[in-house]
Amino acid sequence: MGDLAVNLRRVTKIYGQGRTAVKALDEIDLAIERGCFLAIMGPSGSGKSTLLNVIGGLDRPTAGEVYIGDLEVTGQDEQKLYLVRRHLVGFVFQSFHLAPTLGALDNVLLPALPTGLTPDIRQRAVALLERVGMERRLDRRPGELSAGEQQRVAIARALIMNPPVVLADEPTGNLDSRTAAEVVHLIEELNRETGKTFLLVTHDPRVARHCHRVVYLRDGRLCSRAEAGLEALP
Ligand SMILES: Nc1ncnc2c1ncn2[C@@H]1O[C@H](COP(=O)(O)OP(=O)(O)OP(=O)(O)O)[C@@H](O)[C@H]1O
Ligand SMILES: [Mg+2]
C-alpha cells in the first residue's frame, strides 16, 4: 500500500434509481503510484469526471473503496471528507473556478482561510504564484487575466495546502493549443519538482503524450485505447 498515492477497489457509482439509473462507474480497480502523472481519457459520458470526484471526496461512490495513501476516503463522515478535500487533494477545473472579485494572490489564499492566513502561508502563496509565472499579476482579478493566466493561478491555488494528489479535470479544455501546451508543460514540471501525483482528464492526445501513464474509460469501465474509440497516440 505504501507507494500508492491513490487506490480504487471495485468502485461503482450509480446516479439515480430504478429505470433511470446511470452506472457512471462500474467496478473500477485502479492503483496509482506515488509521483505518477496519469492521464484519464475516454468519450463524453464515460465517467472521467465522476472518477476524479469520487477520488477527491466531492462525490461518494455507491460501492467500493477509495484510498488516498493509507486513508480510506470512503469510510469517512462528512466532516472528515471536508478535511480530505482540503488537505489531501487539490482541484483544477476546465473553467478555472476562480473567485471573480478577488485578486490572484487572494484566490490562491482562499483554501487556507479556514486554517488561518499566517505569514508563512502568504509567503508560500507568493512563491507559488512566482513559480507559475504570475509574480507580476498578484493583484489582478480573473477578469483582468488571460485564460492561460487564470489557469496558472488555479494551479497555484490547488497547491497551496500542499496536497499529495492534484486532480485536474480537462485543465486545458478552455485554452488554445499553444497555451494548452504551456500549461501542460508547467504541470509536468510541477509533477517532477514536487513528487506529487497528478491525475489529469483530457480529450487531447497531445496533452496525454506528456503523461507517464494513460488509462481509458468507456461506459464507466477501464478499457483499452481502441475500445475507448481513440486512435494511437501521435
Ligand atoms: N449528478 C449526476 N446525476 C446524474 N447523472 C450523472 C451525474 N453526473 C454524471 N452523470 C452521468 O454519469 C455518466 C458519467 O458522467 P461524467 O460526467 O463522469 O462523464 P465524463 O467522462 O466526465 O464526460 P465529459 O467528457 O462530457 O466531461 C454520464 O452518463 C452522466 O450523464
Ligand atoms: Mg467530465
Side-chain angles (χ1 to χ4, degrees):
M1 183 80 227
D3 338 330
L4 292 182
V6 176
N7 196 10
L8 284 78
R9 294 203 198 143
R10 296 174 74 92
V11 169
T12 294
K13 176 69 186 180
I14 299 170
Y15 288 111
Q17 287 187 340
R19 267 191 298 162
T20 58
V22 175
K23 213 179 238 185
L25 298 176
D26 190 359
E27 300 201 350
I28 300 274
D29 281 309
L30 179 62
I32 303 165
E33 264 141 53
R34 239 178 257 286
C36 185
F37 182 14
L38 177 95
I40 301 164
M41 300 188 81
S44 184
S46 58
K48 305 180 297 296
S49 295
T50 306
L51 186 68
L52 287 197
N53 291 346
V54 302
I55 291 171
L58 290 181
D59 215 338
R60 280 177 190 280
T62 311
E65 293 136 49
V66 175
Y67 294 86
I68 297 186
D70 291 326
L71 182 83
E72 191 193 342
V73 176
T74 22
Q76 310 299 325
D77 59 24
E78 253 330 293
Q79 204 172 353
K80 282 271 183 57
L81 264 191
Y82 169 74
L83 293 176
V84 169
R85 287 194 292 265
R86 204 165 69 198
H87 294 283
L88 295 187
V89 298
F91 281 96
V92 179
F93 300 96
Q94 179 173 1
S95 48
F96 324 128
H97 288 203
L98 296 172
T101 60
L102 298 180
L105 180 59
D106 287 338
N107 261 288
V108 172
L109 284 169
L110 213 49
L113 272 183
T115 39
L117 297 184
T118 59
D120 274 4
I121 203 89
R122 286 182 178 279
Q123 235 170 40
R124 179 171 167 77
V126 172
L128 280 168
L129 281 164
E130 275 173 14
R131 177 62 193 86
V132 301
M134 295 294 291
E135 65 278 4
R136 292 166 66 187
R137 309 268 192 281
L138 298 183
D139 295 324
R140 293 266 194 103
R141 288 192 289 265
E144 301 164 335
L145 295 171
S146 73
E149 289 172 338
Q150 289 180 65
Q151 199 56 304
R152 288 169 183 272
V153 173
I155 289 167
R157 180 186 56 185
L159 295 172
I160 187 70
M161 301 305 284
N162 204 18
V165 176
V166 179
L167 305 170
D169 198 346
E170 301 192 46
T172 62
N174 278 354
L175 306 177
D176 63 68
S177 59
R178 186 171 153 195
T179 309
E182 287 168 5
V183 165
V184 79
H185 183 65
L186 172 66
I187 293 175
E188 195 177 14
E189 286 180 343
L190 289 169
N191 165 254
R192 217 173 15 227
E193 287 166 20
T194 64
K196 294 180 190 302
T197 307
F198 283 75
L199 277 59
L200 178 151
V201 168
T202 185
H203 285 285
D204 187 346
R206 287 166 303 181
V207 169
R209 211 171 39 181
H210 291 265
C211 297
H212 300 144
R213 180 180 168 200
V214 188
V215 296
Y216 303 93
L217 276 177
R218 181 181 166 179
D219 297 332
R221 286 174 167 270
L222 292 175
C223 65
S224 70
R225 182 172 180 83
E227 285 168 326
L230 294 161
E231 289 167 20
L233 281 177

